[in-house]
Amino acid sequence: MTSEAKKDAPLGRVIVITSGKGGVGKTTSSAAISAGLAKQGFKTVVIDFDVGLRNLDMIMGCERRVVFDFINVIQGDAKLKQALIKDKRLETLFILPTSQTRDKDALTKEGVEQILNELKAEFDYIVCDSPAGIERGAQMAMYYADEAVVVTNPEVSSVRDSDRVLGLLSSQTKRAETDGAEPIKAQVLLTRYDQARVDSGEMMTVEDVLEILAVPLLGVIPESKAILKASNVGTPVVLDEPSAASRAYEDAISRLTGTQVEMRIQGERRPGLFQRLFGRAT
Amino acid sequence: MNLFSFVRKPRPAQSAQTAKDRLQILLAHERSSGTAEADYLPMLQRDIIAAIRKHVPIIGDKDVDVRMERGDQMSSLEINIDLPASLPPKKG
């Protein structure tokens, strides 16, 4: 599985990680997905599109190695090779950080296209970490995408914003504007899912969210302490010690590459008879 | 207490269901109003009011309510017209 992708020409697949709403786990998911793809042997680069609010570098743990950024490359101040940061854990993983200072107008359609084309010639997967909102940065992140991962929490504002973003993906992107092009393949990644709260009727179920958004499910990431722990130390969650969240990400990543993986909701622990009788204090 | 908790379990409010219902109603509305095709609705509303006014002396623009419900299979146009309680006798 891992070696077969290496010999052929790179896949050059552009995947945008988007959501509309902020704080739902876009950057965490971008880091996990890119690291997971690289771990499977795919040559992967992850790009931070959140100009002015650079954060992917911290989640990836390479914040002290940023010299040149995405905007420097667009404006011709640096070569792409100079701006790409090679991950220290995985041979096949690269990070393209964004600018901390310049304004988002620096992102031009032509500039982004040129960089993506250069990356496509070398990488299997190009993961675009979108900023929150539906402004320029988010539009640029999704415009050239082949696939979209819409990160959604089982919560009303997040689902509403995801619906908005799905509308934009099917109308405001290159694939949408090109006659005869296959539409962007959009999938939902449900994050911060809490099975116990779903069981007690205080959180929407996976089925509820899918029924509303009407797009396929990529995976369900349970609410997990491992996420904060991993971000504290700058390690993508799939490279940290195994947890319910990391296993759920691994499954989602396998589905992204076309492998059939049974959908199981991790972190689901049915209370046993003992617990039911004597409480769940433990 | 816990021994009997699953016998007389207090039914918690199913707030997830409320969330789902609210979203479905809202998104049905937002999806239809977000498209360019819905732009003709105000114009349609104006024309309908003008057409009805020719025959019935309705009071104002607010008496006619035009709504579009868009579904996957079919869309429906709903027009509600409030007539004044007592209609003045027709001229002819």
Side-chain angles (χ1 to χ4, degrees):
Chain A
M1 275 304 279
T2 45
S3 55
E4 77 185 37
K6 281 186 169 174
K7 294 197 183 96
D8 309 322
L11 294 169
R13 201 121 174 102
V14 180
I15 303 176
V16 60
I17 315 293
T18 182
S19 72
K21 190 178 181 297
V24 295
K26 277 183 301 299
T27 301
T28 304
S29 297
S30 297
I33 289 171
S34 56
L37 288 168
K39 205 169 143 189
Q40 290 194 18
F42 295 101
K43 200 169 175 201
T44 306
V45 57
V46 56
I47 311 175
D48 190 349
F49 273 80
D50 202 349
V51 179
L53 291 171
R54 178 161 84 204
N55 271 322
L56 179 69
D57 55 339
M58 283 217 84
I59 304 301
M60 297 294 293
C62 64
E63 69 275 12
R64 294 173 63 176
R65 297 168 60 206
V66 177
V67 183
F68 293 110
D69 59 53
F70 192 24
I71 305 298
N72 289 141
V73 182
I74 287 182
Q75 297 186 330
D77 299 331
K79 290 254 161 47
L80 184 55
K81 282 235 157 63
Q82 294 177 285
L84 284 174
I85 301 171
K86 191 170 190 297
D87 188 83
K88 290 205 161 149
R89 297 151 294 213
L90 294 168
E91 279 280 299
T92 46
L93 182 59
F94 290 79
I95 300 112
L96 184 53
T98 192
S99 165
Q100 180 71 297
T101 51
R102 300 189 217 200
D103 73 309
K104 53 190 175 297
D105 292 335
L107 279 181
T108 60
K109 245 185 202 174
E110 298 71 32
V112 171
E113 183 175 31
Q114 203 195 323
I115 292 181
L116 289 179
N117 283 341
E118 259 185 79
L119 292 172
K120 278 185 193 181
E122 217 180 306
F123 288 90
D124 292 314
Y125 286 102
I126 298 137
V127 177
C128 302
D129 180 22
S130 170
I134 49 173
E135 300 293 314
R136 188 170 189 85
Q139 288 167 10
M140 286 299 110
M142 70 169 71
Y143 190 76
Y144 295 102
D146 300 309
E147 277 183 57
V149 174
V150 180
V151 183
T152 308
N153 292 166
E155 176 272 329
V156 287
S157 51
S158 174
V159 175
R160 181 196 203 176
D161 291 357
S162 292
D163 187 73
R164 227 12 233 300
V165 162
L166 285 165
L168 294 177
L169 285 166
S170 60
S171 64
Q172 311 283 311
T173 51
K174 180 110 193 275
R175 279 180 177 266
E177 290 169 2
T178 311
D179 283 327
E182 215 174 285
I184 289 184
K185 186 181 173 196
Q187 290 174 284
V188 169
L189 183 68
L190 204 54
T191 56
R192 308 202 71 162
Y193 194 77
D194 188 331
Q195 188 63 51
R197 302 192 74 183
V198 168
D199 289 343
S200 66
E202 31 174 330
M203 183 179 270
M204 281 185 281
T205 65
V206 180
E207 293 76 24
D208 287 342
V209 176
L210 293 182
E211 192 186 325
I212 292 164
L213 294 178
V215 281
L217 178 67
L218 180 68
V220 180
I221 313 298
E223 175 81 64
S224 166
K225 288 183 177 170
I227 303 279
L228 179 62
K229 190 183 152 274
S231 88
N232 283 343
V233 296
T235 305
V237 71
V238 294
L239 302 183
D240 212 12
E241 50 194 73
S243 61
S246 74
R247 281 187 290 270
Y249 269 116
E250 303 260 16
D251 283 359
I253 293 153
S254 293
R255 286 184 203 108
L256 207 53
T257 64
T259 313
Q260 295 274 339
V261 184
E262 191 204 342
M263 196 68 70
R264 47 187 170 163
I265 294 164
Q266 307 262 1
E268 184 177 16
R269 259 202 330 244
R270 297 242 136 248
L273 180 66
F274 186 82
Q275 274 186 302
R276 284 222 300 253
L277 285 174
F278 298 103
R280 295 189 189 179
T282 51
Chain B
M1 283 306 262
N2 272 311
L3 248 170
F4 302 103
S5 65
F6 58 97
V7 180
R8 45 170 200 87
K9 193 187 268 174
R11 275 250 151 250
Q14 301 284 300
S15 61
Q17 189 59 45
T18 314
K20 187 186 176 187
D21 295 344
R22 287 176 60 216
L23 273 168
Q24 280 177 323
I25 293 165
L26 178 77
L27 294 182
H29 179 74
E30 283 187 346
R31 280 170 189 157
S32 61
S33 62
T35 57
E37 295 159 63
D39 286 356
Y40 64 83
L41 278 181
M43 278 156 350
L44 180 66
Q45 182 164 348
R46 253 196 325 271
D47 291 350
I48 291 169
I49 293 171
I52 295 169
R53 271 222 189 98
K54 275 192 209 164
H55 310 284
V56 185
I58 51 171
I59 303 159
D61 295 355
K62 282 177 190 143
D63 293 327
V64 176
D65 182 31
V66 180
R67 263 167 222 277
M68 184 88 161
E69 292 269 318
R70 199 176 303 256
D72 285 344
Q73 300 299 318
M74 58 167 237
S75 301
S76 68
L77 184 67
E78 183 187 322
I79 303 168
N80 276 311
I81 304 159
D82 285 345
L83 291 177
S86 59
L87 284 173
K90 266 195 171 182
K91 276 176 267 171

